[in-house]
């Protein structure tokens, strides 16, 4: 799933989580090799999607999708409710991206741990919102690294030691 | 699984069979689960098959090789690391700009001097001579003057060793070959530390060849030389005082057949064991408010450098706070 557009999806996510993280990630300063959080995410991902659904490739983006009648449903699985907003916009971005190709899709944000899922629909307002975010990201990325600002979730972030040592 | 350093002291072969590495030595065949390895230190003569090597590369594991005298020979530094063109370019900029380079070179020496002084004080020795080298450092306008200040501090520092060491004589620093047991341990310990720093640099976006205090052309991993300066007193020298004064390492652990003195195999085993215990030992980090190992402190130093070159936060060298 690591393709150009997927990365943009993650960028949309990080835009809401933390601007420092967005900047570091966009400049390839990643901690990936060691982040357990990332690995855990991949694991959950695998166990949930292994059966019926398949990965769909459209241009540079690959997503997990199921067909429901004539509508494609794309899914984003989250391990916790934290960053719900970030996940929501990331999914919205995928829907937006698909809509540029004339593909009608709905999103589903699911939280296996809470046995809960939510439908995400791309309406006109959502298109405006996502376009605004997409406009702002390059400015943040091209500027200097935003100073880390301590937030409650920093201690669990892969960049914690990097930011606060 | 927590990844650990593996020190291979005896001679043998490293092979890959499916998803496991095996170390074979004579009749002995020992599996090493690859996801348990952080880095490998090859202290005996080690043969690595190309299959094993590509597996290690894929897993991002460094292998450090030492010659039969226990001195650093070279490292297998897998290419697929964490690369950021941005960080490398900015790192080079800090080398090319004279003032920026001088700032970092001075920072490394300042940290090194402060740590030497700290080690002396912890052993009940006078550190004033070491500390006074800070003035020459502050006045230095060129890299060779920075190096000079470091040398003055180090000589003053070494002059106290004989009063700290109860069981062995140090006299003076001698390298190739080490003239006595203490010098043999310093050389060996510094080689191990240098390798440990290389492993830490590998897990960051820093380029190992772009250094500030040492000339980048000196060695392939010259940045590791810079960073190692900070940790030599804290990790290597204190370890030696401890091993000597507690009589863990004694005369019988050395060999003087090679027109010089070296640790023998048994001595090396004891030394690497104690060295690794040091790397794994933890201290409470005051800013992070969590405990970090000595090895992790080296990584944090790398992070601080990355932040410095990215203009995010000015680099301040590590100074032992406990
Ligand atoms: S540690 Fe905090 S400030 Fe740093 S990247 Fe993570 S969330 Fe952002």
């Amino acid at each position: 799933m690591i393709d150009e557009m997927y990365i943009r999806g993650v960028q949309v996510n990080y835009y809401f989580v933390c601007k420092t993280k967005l900047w570091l990630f966009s400049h390839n300063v990643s901690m990936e090799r060691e982040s357990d959080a990332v690995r855990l995410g991949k694991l959950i991902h695998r166990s949930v999607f292994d059966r019926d659904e398949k990965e769909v490739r459209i241009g540079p983006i690959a997503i997990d999708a199921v067909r429901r009648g004539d509508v494609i449903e794309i899914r984003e699985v989250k391990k916790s409710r934290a960053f719900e907003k970030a996940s929501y916009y990331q999914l919205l971005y995928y829907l937006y991206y698909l809509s540029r190709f004339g593909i009608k899709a709905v999103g589903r944000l699911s939280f296996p741990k809470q046995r809960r899922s939510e439908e995400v629909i791309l309406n006109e307002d959502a298109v405006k919102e996502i376009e605004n975010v997409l406009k702002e990201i390059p400015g943040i990325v091209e500027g200097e690294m935003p100073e880390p600002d301590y937030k409650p979730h920093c201690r669990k972030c892969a960049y914690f030691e990097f930011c606060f040592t | 699984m927590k990844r650990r350093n593996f020190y291979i002291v005896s001679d043998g072969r490293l092979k890959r069979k499916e998803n496991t590495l095996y170390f074979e030595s004579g009749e002995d065949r020992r599996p090493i689960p690859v996801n348990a390895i952080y880095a490998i230190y090859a202290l005996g003569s080690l043969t690595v098959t190309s299959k094993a090597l590509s597996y290690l590369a894929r897993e991002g594991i460094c292998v450090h090789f030492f010659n039969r005298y226990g001195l650093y020979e070279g490292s297998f530094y897998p290419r697929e690391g964490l690369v950021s063109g941005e960080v490398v370019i900015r790192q080079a900029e800090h080398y090319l700009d004279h003032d920026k380079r001088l700032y970092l070179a001075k920072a490394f020496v300042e940290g090194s001097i402060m740590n030497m002084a700290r080690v002396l004080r912890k052993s009940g020795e006078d550190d004033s001579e070491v500390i006074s080298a800070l003035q020459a450092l502050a006045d230095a306008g060129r890299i060779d003057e920075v190096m000079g200040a470091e040398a003055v501090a180090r000589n003053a520092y070494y002059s106290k060793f004989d009063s700290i060491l109860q069981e062995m004589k140090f006299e003076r620093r001698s390298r190739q070959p080490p003239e006595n047991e203490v010098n043999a341990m310093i050389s060996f310990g510094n080689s191990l530390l240098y390798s440990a720093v290389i492993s830490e640099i590998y897990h960051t976006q820093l380029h190992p060849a772009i250094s500030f205090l040492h000339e980048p052309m000196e060695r392939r991993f010259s940045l590791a030389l810079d960073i190692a300066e900070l940790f030599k007193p804290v990790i290597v020298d204190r370890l030696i005082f401890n091993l000597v004064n507690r009589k863990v390492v004694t005369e019988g652990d050395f060999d003087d057949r090679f027109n010089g003195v070296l640790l023998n195999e048994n001595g090396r085993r004891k030394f690497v064991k104690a060295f690794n215990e040091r790397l794994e030992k933890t201290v409470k980090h005051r800013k992070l408010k969590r405990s970090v190992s000595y090895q992790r402190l080296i990584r944090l130093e790398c992070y601080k450098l990355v932040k410095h070159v990215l203009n995010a936060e000015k680099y301040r060298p590590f100074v032992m706070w406990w």
Side-chain angles (χ1 to χ4, degrees):
Chain A
M1 280 242 322
I2 306 290
D3 266 318
E4 202 185 315
M5 294 318 285
Y6 172 69
I7 289 177
R8 294 295 303 261
V10 176
Q11 285 176 313
V12 170
N13 186 298
Y14 289 175
Y15 174 90
F16 291 97
V17 172
C18 169
K19 306 284 188 285
T20 310
K21 192 167 179 165
L22 167 62
W23 193 94
L24 288 168
F25 177 83
S26 307
H27 288 261
N28 284 326
V29 182
S30 70
M31 311 274 130
E32 192 135 21
R33 261 195 196 285
E34 291 190 313
S35 164
D36 284 332
V38 171
R39 257 184 253 141
L40 185 63
K42 281 187 185 145
L43 218 69
I44 290 180
H45 192 80
R46 226 177 289 144
S47 63
V48 173
F49 284 119
D50 253 3
R51 274 151 294 128
D52 315 326
E53 297 86 358
K54 48 170 145 350
E55 197 187 77
V56 175
R57 215 159 244 293
I58 305 144
I61 128 169
I63 46 178
D64 291 299
V66 267
R67 184 173 282 281
R68 297 222 184 280
D70 58 352
V71 182
I72 286 177
E73 181 178 286
I74 65 171
R75 296 184 160 186
E76 189 66 35
V77 182
K78 289 291 150 186
K79 42 183 191 283
S80 76
R81 286 196 59 175
F83 314 122
E84 193 167 334
K85 191 172 170 195
S87 309
Y88 168 79
Y89 280 97
Q90 183 175 355
L91 195 49
L92 217 49
Y93 169 70
Y94 291 148
L95 298 178
Y96 171 79
Y97 185 82
L98 290 174
S99 75
R100 304 280 100 176
F101 285 91
I103 298 167
K104 236 176 91 188
V106 294
R108 185 162 290 280
L109 207 54
S110 55
F111 305 88
K113 264 198 195 158
Q114 283 97 6
R115 298 166 188 280
R116 191 174 68 87
S117 75
E118 229 167 70
E119 202 172 55
V120 179
I121 290 166
L122 185 76
N123 55 28
E124 244 172 75
D125 287 348
V127 168
K128 274 204 203 95
E129 279 181 277
I130 204 76
E131 281 178 343
N132 279 336
V133 172
L134 291 176
K135 244 182 265 154
E136 276 193 45
I137 288 175
I140 296 165
V141 170
E142 280 152 32
E144 289 285 340
M145 173 185 143
E147 225 175 277
D149 177 21
Y150 190 85
K151 299 171 261 307
H153 58 260
C154 283
R155 294 190 80 85
K156 282 191 201 141
C157 173
Y159 289 102
F160 176 68
E161 287 179 319
F162 179 88
C163 286
F164 297 105
T165 189
Chain B
M1 194 184 296
K2 199 180 163 307
R3 290 179 182 262
R4 293 189 303 117
N5 291 317
F6 278 77
Y7 301 85
I8 303 180
V9 182
S10 23
D11 298 351
R13 284 168 76 78
L14 201 58
K15 281 174 126 173
R16 174 190 177 178
K17 194 136 189 260
E18 268 130 38
N19 285 335
T20 311
L21 285 177
Y22 289 93
F23 174 66
E24 295 178 350
S25 177
E27 293 294 284
D28 219 35
R29 190 165 190 256
R30 205 156 56 91
I32 314 178
V34 82
N35 56 0
I37 312 174
Y38 184 69
I40 295 176
Y41 294 72
L43 298 150
S45 124
L46 183 73
T47 307
V48 189
T49 66
S50 63
K51 265 195 192 156
L53 216 49
S54 57
Y55 197 33
L56 290 164
R58 212 180 70 201
E59 294 289 317
I61 297 166
C62 294
V63 187
H64 308 294
F65 294 92
F66 296 75
N67 64 18
R68 63 193 186 100
Y69 303 112
L71 297 180
Y72 177 81
E73 282 255 280
S75 296
F76 171 64
Y77 193 83
R79 213 153 48 105
E80 301 81 10
L82 303 169
V83 181
S84 162
E86 172 98 16
V87 171
V88 177
I89 286 165
R90 297 221 200 183
Q91 195 186 340
E93 177 201 335
H94 280 258
Y95 168 76
L96 292 169
D97 182 308
H98 176 262
D99 290 347
K100 287 181 178 167
R101 178 179 176 193
L102 196 64
Y103 176 83
L104 283 174
K106 282 189 178 190
F108 289 128
V109 172
E110 183 197 325
S112 160
I113 291 176
M114 297 299 282
N115 285 320
M116 287 189 248
R118 190 92 188 94
V119 165
L120 290 186
R121 273 202 310 281
K122 286 203 83 140
S123 303
E125 298 294 325
D126 175 27
D127 66 352
S128 53
E129 239 186 294
V130 170
I131 289 287
S132 64
L134 286 175
Q135 190 54 54
L137 179 66
D139 297 339
R142 295 198 317 258
I143 300 294
D144 60 337
E145 290 166 354
V146 174
M147 285 280 203
E150 209 261 353
V152 169
R154 196 164 288 276
N155 285 336
Y157 172 65
Y158 281 145
S159 74
K160 305 285 180 190
F161 271 34
D162 275 319
S163 119
I164 299 171
L165 294 163
Q166 290 144 28
E167 301 295 324
M168 284 176 185
K169 280 246 144 297
F170 167 70
E171 285 158 352
R172 65 192 177 92
R173 182 76 178 110
S174 52
R175 272 162 250 256
Q176 286 163 340
E179 283 162 7
N180 57 33
E181 291 80 359
V182 178
N183 273 290
M185 283 188 280
I186 294 178
S187 294
F188 186 49
N190 286 350
S191 294
L192 291 172
L193 175 63
Y194 177 68
S195 309
V197 177
I198 291 171
S199 302
E200 294 312 311
I201 293 174
Y202 177 74
H203 292 285
T204 70
Q205 286 76 20
L206 290 169
H207 196 289
I210 306 173
S211 54
F212 308 96
L213 175 61
H214 295 84
E215 279 305 324
M217 295 58 146
E218 260 172 59
R219 292 208 209 165
R220 210 177 130 205
F221 303 112
S222 48
L223 181 62
L225 290 174
D226 285 7
I227 297 173
E229 291 299 340
L230 299 169
F231 293 95
K232 280 179 190 171
V234 179
I235 296 179
V236 180
D237 301 340
R238 288 181 77 210
L239 171 67
I240 294 169
F241 299 158
N242 202 280
L243 290 175
V244 171
N245 291 347
R246 282 187 18 240
K247 298 185 191 142
V248 177
V249 172
T250 56
E251 309 265 316
D253 293 315
F254 297 87
D255 223 326
D256 56 6
R257 280 177 299 160
F258 313 94
N259 109 73
V261 181
L262 297 164
L263 280 155
N264 60 27
E265 190 177 318
N266 201 32
R268 272 182 224 170
R269 275 183 206 280
K270 287 188 198 172
F271 196 97
V272 292
K273 183 166 176 284
F275 176 80
N276 196 56
E277 280 166 9
R278 283 263 143 166
L279 287 184
E280 288 180 353
K281 201 176 143 147
T282 60
V283 285
K284 180 98 183 200
H285 195 283
R286 291 185 299 188
K287 256 175 105 186
L288 298 175
K289 297 194 175 59
R290 58 164 73 150
S291 36
V292 293
S293 64
Y294 281 39
Q295 176 151 347
R296 199 70 181 173
L297 284 175
I298 303 173
R299 174 81 65 87
L300 298 183
E301 218 49 25
C302 298
Y303 289 162
K304 280 154 65 181
L305 267 181
V306 174
K307 282 196 287 186
H308 180 84
V309 301
L310 291 177
N311 289 329
E313 197 181 328
K314 218 171 169 59
Y315 176 73
R316 298 294 309 140
F318 154 74
V319 176
M320 193 173 155
W321 60 79
W322 57 94

